[in-house]
Amino acid sequence: MFPRLFFQLGLVLCLLWPIGGGVWAQTPAVAIVYPDVREPYRSVFMEIARGMEQELGKPVGHYLLSGRDNSAEKLINDLKNDRIDVVVTLGRAGLAVAKSVSAEFPVVIGATMIRPDEVQGLAGISLTPAPEAMFDHLKKLVPEVKKVTVIYDPRQTAWEIEHAERAARERSLTLVAQPTANLHDSSDLFRQILVEIKDNSIALWLPRENAAMDEQSLLPEVLREAWEKNFVVFSSNLDHVRKGALFSLYPDNFGMGRSLAGLAVQQLQAGGKFESVKLLQDLLVAVNLRTAEHLGLRFSSQTRREFAMVFPAP
């Protein structure tokens, strides 16, 4: 009797135990909530959904937020009727309903810029590239860099800079992070730094969400000085690479979908009480080859194959 009882108990545990790759024998019913948008934004959400389905091993439910009926109450009723277990919201429109939905379901936020203080009590993955990934690519592309300077608005990027300080120490980089409260002060700081930088042992990092950078007048000046003085500017904003920054990291939407699905399972297991906003680790690299050539950088064939996007476009 006892051997049979132990066998049956073991069989039950095996059925409930998570299988490799994040797929569960009892996979939860996961919904994604996102705005009804046109291309190319719709394709971004579809790629995230495909990544989630790859991780979960089953389809996810799609719930569109339209301008006609955007109420959280109707959404919650639809989710209940469809017996959804956990919800992943995408984009700013998804973020707008996340708090209301979290009163009834475990919720994970994705595909938007978020800070921990902005979504207290919720879990999610911000679109902000993780500084450790930025620094790893910096060291791979330009090993000579020993110091990284960043000017930032603490109202937007203080938590990102905290992560960056730890990541820099772990990689034997010196991070000089200078907060600024307004564009006038940041312009003075940038111009002071441009005078001080003499070679490519110092790199200038431009965060993605940064009110300290005037895109119209200051950015062209910074990139022009970097070109003339042969020092590295790298950015968390993809558009800056097209304009002349050496490289940027941008979202791998499929990989982000897989990570959101894994976080959704964690959130469900925690009963909706898992509070964690993570920086994005699922990233692709874009490189400005014209800038790299001007800096005298040479990349191996293997390194070049890692570039998901290059500028100028071939």
Side-chain angles (χ1 to χ4, degrees), residues 201-274:
S201 67
I202 301 176
L204 186 60
W205 169 34
L206 306 178
R208 172 167 173 158
E209 194 174 40
N210 194 9
M213 170 55 71
D214 184 337
E215 297 278 336
Q216 300 303 314
S217 60
L218 186 56
L219 178 64
E221 181 181 346
V222 168
L223 294 175
R224 184 171 60 250
E225 285 288 316
W227 182 272
E228 292 176 359
K229 289 188 172 184
N230 280 5
F231 69 85
V232 173
V233 175
F234 66 106
S235 177
S236 301
N237 186 328
L238 177 61
D239 193 51
H240 292 171
V241 183
R242 180 180 61 82
K243 295 176 179 178
L246 176 60
F247 78 92
S248 180
L249 300 182
Y250 64 99
D252 172 358
N253 295 317
F254 185 87
M256 178 168 48
R258 297 194 64 167
S259 295
L260 286 169
L263 188 56
V265 172
Q266 283 183 269
Q267 181 68 298
L268 180 61
Q269 291 173 329
K273 304 300 183 184
F274 185 69

Side-chain angles (χ1 to χ4, degrees), residues 92-298:
R92 298 303 294 183
L95 175 62
V97 299
K99 195 70 177 179
S100 298
V101 174
S102 69
E104 302 288 343
F105 297 91
V107 170
V108 167
I109 300 164
T112 189
M113 306 288 286
I114 50 175
R115 303 184 306 271
D117 63 327
E118 191 179 9
V119 291
Q120 290 181 356
L122 298 176
I125 300 175
S126 176
L127 279 181
T128 306
E132 51 265 39
M134 297 294 298
F135 296 160
D136 284 342
H137 278 84
L138 175 65
K139 289 178 72 70
K140 178 185 288 189
L141 299 179
V142 198
E144 298 83 6
V145 170
K146 305 299 180 188
K147 180 188 290 187
V148 174
T149 295
V150 59
I151 296 171
Y152 69 99
D153 184 340
R155 293 167 298 183
Q156 290 180 310
T157 53
W159 78 293
E160 182 182 354
I161 297 302
E162 290 176 11
H163 282 267
E165 289 171 340
R166 182 168 60 251
R169 287 194 300 271
E170 292 170 350
R171 289 155 181 78
S172 300
L173 288 170
T174 300
L175 180 67
V176 180
Q178 302 192 45
T180 182
N182 55 66
L183 281 175
H184 181 270
D185 290 347
S186 69
S187 297
D188 290 344
L189 279 172
F190 270 111
R191 292 187 175 103
Q192 179 183 337
I193 288 168
L194 294 177
V195 170
E196 294 173 353
I197 295 179
K198 303 298 184 184
D199 54 41
N200 65 359
S201 67
I202 301 176
L204 186 60
W205 169 34
L206 306 178
R208 172 167 173 158
E209 194 174 40
N210 194 9
M213 170 55 71
D214 184 337
E215 297 278 336
Q216 300 303 314
S217 60
L218 186 56
L219 178 64
E221 181 181 346
V222 168
L223 294 175
R224 184 171 60 250
E225 285 288 316
W227 182 272
E228 292 176 359
K229 289 188 172 184
N230 280 5
F231 69 85
V232 173
V233 175
F234 66 106
S235 177
S236 301
N237 186 328
L238 177 61
D239 193 51
H240 292 171
V241 183
R242 180 180 61 82
K243 295 176 179 178
L246 176 60
F247 78 92
S248 180
L249 300 182
Y250 64 99
D252 172 358
N253 295 317
F254 185 87
M256 178 168 48
R258 297 194 64 167
S259 295
L260 286 169
L263 188 56
V265 172
Q266 283 183 269
Q267 181 68 298
L268 180 61
Q269 291 173 329
K273 304 300 183 184
F274 185 69
E275 299 179 22
S276 174
V277 175
K278 300 181 179 182
L279 292 158
L280 187 61
Q281 297 280 356
D282 302 292
L283 297 158
L284 301 172
V285 61
V287 176
N288 189 308
L289 295 179
R290 180 171 175 265
T291 299
E293 183 178 358
H294 179 76
L295 291 169
L297 302 177
R298 299 290 181 266

